[in-house]
mmCIF file of all heavy atoms in Angstrom:
data_model
loop_
_atom_site.group_PDB
_atom_site.id
_atom_site.type_symbol
_atom_site.label_atom_id
_atom_site.label_comp_id
_atom_site.label_asym_id
_atom_site.label_seq_id
_atom_site.Cartn_x
_atom_site.Cartn_y
_atom_site.Cartn_z
ATOM 1 N N SER E 1 0.796 -18.823 -14.539
ATOM 2 C CA SER E 1 0.624 -18.120 -15.820
ATOM 3 C C SER E 1 1.603 -16.978 -15.993
ATOM 4 O O SER E 1 1.251 -15.859 -16.359
ATOM 5 C CB SER E 1 -0.820 -17.620 -15.952
ATOM 6 O OG SER E 1 -1.750 -18.685 -15.851
ATOM 7 N N LEU E 2 2.837 -17.275 -15.722
ATOM 8 C CA LEU E 2 3.888 -16.254 -15.723
ATOM 9 C C LEU E 2 4.132 -15.711 -17.125
ATOM 10 O O LEU E 2 4.063 -16.448 -18.108
ATOM 11 C CB LEU E 2 5.154 -16.785 -15.110
ATOM 12 C CG LEU E 2 5.122 -16.968 -13.605
ATOM 13 C CD1 LEU E 2 6.233 -17.880 -13.127
ATOM 14 C CD2 LEU E 2 5.219 -15.600 -12.900
ATOM 15 N N THR E 3 4.455 -14.418 -17.186
ATOM 16 C CA THR E 3 4.776 -13.740 -18.421
ATOM 17 C C THR E 3 6.133 -13.076 -18.293
ATOM 18 O O THR E 3 6.631 -12.879 -17.167
ATOM 19 C CB THR E 3 3.722 -12.694 -18.781
ATOM 20 O OG1 THR E 3 3.907 -11.532 -17.953
ATOM 21 C CG2 THR E 3 2.303 -13.218 -18.597
ATOM 22 N N PRO E 4 6.754 -12.692 -19.400
ATOM 23 C CA PRO E 4 8.037 -11.993 -19.300
ATOM 24 C C PRO E 4 7.962 -10.721 -18.474
ATOM 25 O O PRO E 4 8.979 -10.306 -17.889
ATOM 26 C CB PRO E 4 8.365 -11.693 -20.766
ATOM 27 C CG PRO E 4 7.734 -12.806 -21.502
ATOM 28 C CD PRO E 4 6.434 -13.054 -20.792
ATOM 29 N N GLU E 5 6.787 -10.088 -18.394
ATOM 30 C CA GLU E 5 6.619 -8.894 -17.581
ATOM 31 C C GLU E 5 6.740 -9.154 -16.085
ATOM 32 O O GLU E 5 6.866 -8.225 -15.301
ATOM 33 C CB GLU E 5 5.292 -8.223 -17.882
ATOM 34 C CG GLU E 5 5.210 -7.539 -19.255
ATOM 35 C CD GLU E 5 5.180 -8.519 -20.411
ATOM 36 O OE1 GLU E 5 4.518 -9.591 -20.283
ATOM 37 O OE2 GLU E 5 5.817 -8.242 -21.428
ATOM 38 N N ASP E 6 6.692 -10.420 -15.688
ATOM 39 C CA ASP E 6 6.886 -10.780 -14.302
ATOM 40 C C ASP E 6 8.345 -10.911 -13.917
ATOM 41 O O ASP E 6 8.663 -11.140 -12.735
ATOM 42 C CB ASP E 6 6.153 -12.085 -13.978
ATOM 43 C CG ASP E 6 4.661 -11.977 -14.140
ATOM 44 O OD1 ASP E 6 4.056 -10.993 -13.633
ATOM 45 O OD2 ASP E 6 4.049 -12.881 -14.745
ATOM 46 N N THR E 7 9.220 -10.829 -14.887
ATOM 47 C CA THR E 7 10.651 -10.928 -14.606
ATOM 48 C C THR E 7 11.091 -9.784 -13.701
ATOM 49 O O THR E 7 10.900 -8.619 -14.013
ATOM 50 C CB THR E 7 11.462 -10.902 -15.906
ATOM 51 O OG1 THR E 7 11.148 -12.075 -16.674
ATOM 52 C CG2 THR E 7 12.951 -10.883 -15.620
ATOM 53 N N ALA E 8 11.709 -10.133 -12.576
ATOM 54 C CA ALA E 8 12.100 -9.147 -11.591
ATOM 55 C C ALA E 8 12.844 -9.840 -10.458
ATOM 56 O O ALA E 8 12.836 -11.072 -10.353
ATOM 57 C CB ALA E 8 10.879 -8.416 -11.028
ATOM 58 N N VAL E 9 13.452 -9.045 -9.616
ATOM 59 C CA VAL E 9 13.901 -9.529 -8.315
ATOM 60 C C VAL E 9 12.746 -9.361 -7.345
ATOM 61 O O VAL E 9 12.174 -8.269 -7.220
ATOM 62 C CB VAL E 9 15.138 -8.771 -7.820
ATOM 63 C CG1 VAL E 9 15.550 -9.276 -6.438
ATOM 64 C CG2 VAL E 9 16.297 -8.945 -8.804
ATOM 65 N N TYR E 10 12.392 -10.423 -6.672
ATOM 66 C CA TYR E 10 11.280 -10.435 -5.725
ATOM 67 C C TYR E 10 11.807 -10.390 -4.308
ATOM 68 O O TYR E 10 12.698 -11.159 -3.947
ATOM 69 C CB TYR E 10 10.416 -11.674 -5.936
ATOM 70 C CG TYR E 10 9.525 -11.570 -7.158
ATOM 71 C CD1 TYR E 10 10.068 -11.671 -8.431
ATOM 72 C CD2 TYR E 10 8.152 -11.370 -7.048
ATOM 73 C CE1 TYR E 10 9.272 -11.556 -9.566
ATOM 74 C CE2 TYR E 10 7.347 -11.276 -8.168
ATOM 75 C CZ TYR E 10 7.915 -11.363 -9.428
ATOM 76 O OH TYR E 10 7.110 -11.260 -10.539
ATOM 77 N N TYR E 11 11.208 -9.522 -3.514
ATOM 78 C CA TYR E 11 11.610 -9.327 -2.105
ATOM 79 C C TYR E 11 10.419 -9.568 -1.197
ATOM 80 O O TYR E 11 9.302 -9.135 -1.493
ATOM 81 C CB TYR E 11 12.095 -7.897 -1.878
ATOM 82 C CG TYR E 11 13.245 -7.440 -2.741
ATOM 83 C CD1 TYR E 11 13.010 -6.880 -3.976
ATOM 84 C CD2 TYR E 11 14.538 -7.573 -2.276
ATOM 85 C CE1 TYR E 11 14.063 -6.430 -4.749
ATOM 86 C CE2 TYR E 11 15.603 -7.141 -3.059
ATOM 87 C CZ TYR E 11 15.356 -6.568 -4.290
ATOM 88 O OH TYR E 11 16.403 -6.134 -5.066
ATOM 89 N N CYS E 12 10.660 -10.178 -0.045
ATOM 90 C CA CYS E 12 9.632 -10.193 0.982
ATOM 91 C C CYS E 12 9.990 -9.224 2.090
ATOM 92 O O CYS E 12 11.142 -8.876 2.328
ATOM 93 C CB CYS E 12 9.416 -11.617 1.528
ATOM 94 S SG CYS E 12 10.824 -12.358 2.371
ATOM 95 N N ARG E 13 8.928 -8.772 2.769
ATOM 96 C CA ARG E 13 9.086 -7.750 3.803
ATOM 97 C C ARG E 13 8.059 -8.027 4.907
ATOM 98 O O ARG E 13 6.915 -8.340 4.615
ATOM 99 C CB ARG E 13 8.855 -6.364 3.223
ATOM 100 C CG ARG E 13 8.971 -5.226 4.225
ATOM 101 C CD ARG E 13 8.368 -3.976 3.643
ATOM 102 N NE ARG E 13 8.552 -2.795 4.485
ATOM 103 C CZ ARG E 13 7.952 -1.644 4.325
ATOM 104 N NH1 ARG E 13 7.096 -1.491 3.314
ATOM 105 N NH2 ARG E 13 8.175 -0.634 5.135
ATOM 106 N N SER E 14 8.490 -7.875 6.147
ATOM 107 C CA SER E 14 7.604 -7.941 7.290
ATOM 108 C C SER E 14 7.712 -6.599 7.998
ATOM 109 O O SER E 14 8.807 -6.198 8.386
ATOM 110 C CB SER E 14 8.000 -9.081 8.211
ATOM 111 O OG SER E 14 7.236 -9.081 9.405
ATOM 112 N N ASN E 15 6.580 -5.934 8.194
ATOM 113 C CA ASN E 15 6.634 -4.615 8.791
ATOM 114 C C ASN E 15 5.441 -4.368 9.683
ATOM 115 O O ASN E 15 4.362 -4.929 9.508
ATOM 116 C CB ASN E 15 6.716 -3.523 7.708
ATOM 117 C CG ASN E 15 5.469 -3.450 6.853
ATOM 118 O OD1 ASN E 15 5.185 -4.355 6.088
ATOM 119 N ND2 ASN E 15 4.724 -2.352 7.012
ATOM 120 N N GLY E 16 5.644 -3.501 10.654
ATOM 121 C CA GLY E 16 4.631 -3.124 11.610
ATOM 122 C C GLY E 16 5.198 -2.145 12.611
ATOM 123 O O GLY E 16 6.181 -1.469 12.329
ATOM 124 N N TYR E 17 4.574 -2.095 13.770
ATOM 125 C CA TYR E 17 5.001 -1.179 14.791
ATOM 126 C C TYR E 17 6.445 -1.517 15.263
ATOM 127 O O TYR E 17 6.686 -2.613 15.744
ATOM 128 C CB TYR E 17 4.037 -1.208 15.962
ATOM 129 C CG TYR E 17 4.416 -0.325 17.117
ATOM 130 C CD1 TYR E 17 4.441 1.057 16.958
ATOM 131 C CD2 TYR E 17 4.727 -0.857 18.358
ATOM 132 C CE1 TYR E 17 4.775 1.877 18.008
ATOM 133 C CE2 TYR E 17 5.051 -0.046 19.404
ATOM 134 C CZ TYR E 17 5.085 1.337 19.230
ATOM 135 O OH TYR E 17 5.416 2.154 20.284
ATOM 136 N N ARG E 18 7.342 -0.587 15.060
ATOM 137 C CA ARG E 18 8.742 -0.752 15.444
ATOM 138 C C ARG E 18 9.358 -2.017 14.861
ATOM 139 O O ARG E 18 10.174 -2.695 15.506
ATOM 140 C CB ARG E 18 8.883 -0.735 16.963
ATOM 141 C CG ARG E 18 8.452 0.590 17.606
ATOM 142 C CD ARG E 18 8.553 0.526 19.134
ATOM 143 N NE ARG E 18 9.913 0.308 19.597
ATOM 144 C CZ ARG E 18 10.810 1.278 19.801
ATOM 145 N NH1 ARG E 18 10.499 2.538 19.588
ATOM 146 N NH2 ARG E 18 12.014 0.974 20.232
ATOM 147 N N HIS E 19 8.971 -2.321 13.625
ATOM 148 C CA HIS E 19 9.427 -3.528 12.975
ATOM 149 C C HIS E 19 9.415 -3.342 11.464
ATOM 150 O O HIS E 19 8.411 -2.947 10.904
ATOM 151 C CB HIS E 19 8.505 -4.685 13.365
ATOM 152 C CG HIS E 19 8.792 -5.969 12.677
ATOM 153 N ND1 HIS E 19 9.817 -6.809 13.059
ATOM 154 C CD2 HIS E 19 8.192 -6.550 11.606
ATOM 155 C CE1 HIS E 19 9.815 -7.856 12.247
ATOM 156 N NE2 HIS E 19 8.846 -7.727 11.366
ATOM 157 N N ASP E 20 10.528 -3.605 10.832
ATOM 158 C CA ASP E 20 10.638 -3.514 9.389
ATOM 159 C C ASP E 20 11.833 -4.353 8.953
ATOM 160 O O ASP E 20 12.979 -3.945 9.167
ATOM 161 C CB ASP E 20 10.780 -2.064 8.916
ATOM 162 C CG ASP E 20 10.578 -1.906 7.419
ATOM 163 O OD1 ASP E 20 10.342 -2.914 6.731
ATOM 164 O OD2 ASP E 20 10.651 -0.759 6.946
ATOM 165 N N VAL E 21 11.554 -5.483 8.352
ATOM 166 C CA VAL E 21 12.606 -6.425 7.942
ATOM 167 C C VAL E 21 12.399 -6.783 6.487
ATOM 168 O O VAL E 21 11.287 -7.108 6.076
ATOM 169 C CB VAL E 21 12.600 -7.699 8.812
ATOM 170 C CG1 VAL E 21 13.691 -8.663 8.368
ATOM 171 C CG2 VAL E 21 12.774 -7.346 10.280
ATOM 172 N N TRP E 22 13.453 -6.723 5.726
ATOM 173 C CA TRP E 22 13.479 -7.085 4.302
ATOM 174 C C TRP E 22 14.381 -8.280 4.048
ATOM 175 O O TRP E 22 15.439 -8.403 4.684
ATOM 176 C CB TRP E 22 13.982 -5.916 3.456
ATOM 177 C CG TRP E 22 13.108 -4.732 3.358
ATOM 178 C CD1 TRP E 22 12.908 -3.742 4.274
ATOM 179 C CD2 TRP E 22 12.281 -4.362 2.221
ATOM 180 N NE1 TRP E 22 12.036 -2.792 3.804
ATOM 181 C CE2 TRP E 22 11.654 -3.164 2.539
ATOM 182 C CE3 TRP E 22 12.049 -4.943 0.980
ATOM 183 C CZ2 TRP E 22 10.779 -2.512 1.651
ATOM 184 C CZ3 TRP E 22 11.193 -4.316 0.098
ATOM 185 C CH2 TRP E 22 10.562 -3.101 0.448
ATOM 186 N N GLY E 23 13.989 -9.105 3.110
ATOM 187 C CA GLY E 23 14.899 -10.092 2.586
ATOM 188 C C GLY E 23 15.808 -9.495 1.535
ATOM 189 O O GLY E 23 15.635 -8.333 1.125
ATOM 190 N N GLU E 24 16.786 -10.256 1.084
ATOM 191 C CA GLU E 24 17.730 -9.757 0.102
ATOM 192 C C GLU E 24 17.287 -9.972 -1.328
ATOM 193 O O GLU E 24 17.904 -9.419 -2.244
ATOM 194 C CB GLU E 24 19.095 -10.424 0.320
ATOM 195 C CG GLU E 24 19.749 -10.012 1.634
ATOM 196 C CD GLU E 24 21.133 -10.556 1.795
ATOM 197 O OE1 GLU E 24 21.526 -11.467 1.007
ATOM 198 O OE2 GLU E 24 21.854 -10.083 2.693
ATOM 199 N N GLY E 25 16.222 -10.716 -1.546
ATOM 200 C CA GLY E 25 15.653 -10.866 -2.871
ATOM 201 C C GLY E 25 16.016 -12.167 -3.545
ATOM 202 O O GLY E 25 17.040 -12.785 -3.260
ATOM 203 N N THR E 26 15.151 -12.567 -4.485
ATOM 204 C CA THR E 26 15.388 -13.747 -5.318
ATOM 205 C C THR E 26 14.974 -13.430 -6.748
ATOM 206 O O THR E 26 13.932 -12.828 -6.975
ATOM 207 C CB THR E 26 14.644 -14.981 -4.761
ATOM 208 O OG1 THR E 26 15.003 -16.142 -5.509
ATOM 209 C CG2 THR E 26 13.140 -14.799 -4.774
ATOM 210 N N GLN E 27 15.789 -13.828 -7.687
ATOM 211 C CA GLN E 27 15.572 -13.511 -9.092
ATOM 212 C C GLN E 27 14.551 -14.457 -9.721
ATOM 213 O O GLN E 27 14.683 -15.679 -9.596
ATOM 214 C CB GLN E 27 16.885 -13.585 -9.858
ATOM 215 C CG GLN E 27 16.753 -13.351 -11.377
ATOM 216 C CD GLN E 27 16.442 -11.918 -11.708
ATOM 217 O OE1 GLN E 27 17.090 -10.995 -11.193
ATOM 218 N NE2 GLN E 27 15.448 -11.710 -12.564
ATOM 219 N N VAL E 28 13.572 -13.868 -10.396
ATOM 220 C CA VAL E 28 12.624 -14.641 -11.201
ATOM 221 C C VAL E 28 12.770 -14.175 -12.654
ATOM 222 O O VAL E 28 12.633 -12.969 -12.927
ATOM 223 C CB VAL E 28 11.185 -14.431 -10.745
ATOM 224 C CG1 VAL E 28 10.191 -15.087 -11.699
ATOM 225 C CG2 VAL E 28 10.998 -15.003 -9.342
#
């Protein structure tokens, strides 16, 4: 049920103790 307000670059992230990794993003 996507709307124009969902338009963005989406990033995933994994984080925790001594750990923080980001992806570079994907455009929606």
Side-chain angles (χ1 to χ4, degrees):
S1 301
L2 287 163
T3 76
E5 288 71 39
D6 297 314
T7 295
V9 178
Y10 284 72
Y11 302 88
C12 63
R13 179 196 186 192
S14 174
N15 66 291
Y17 179 64
R18 297 177 62 86
H19 174 80
D20 193 358
V21 180
W22 290 78
E24 293 185 347
T26 186
Q27 176 71 48
V28 172

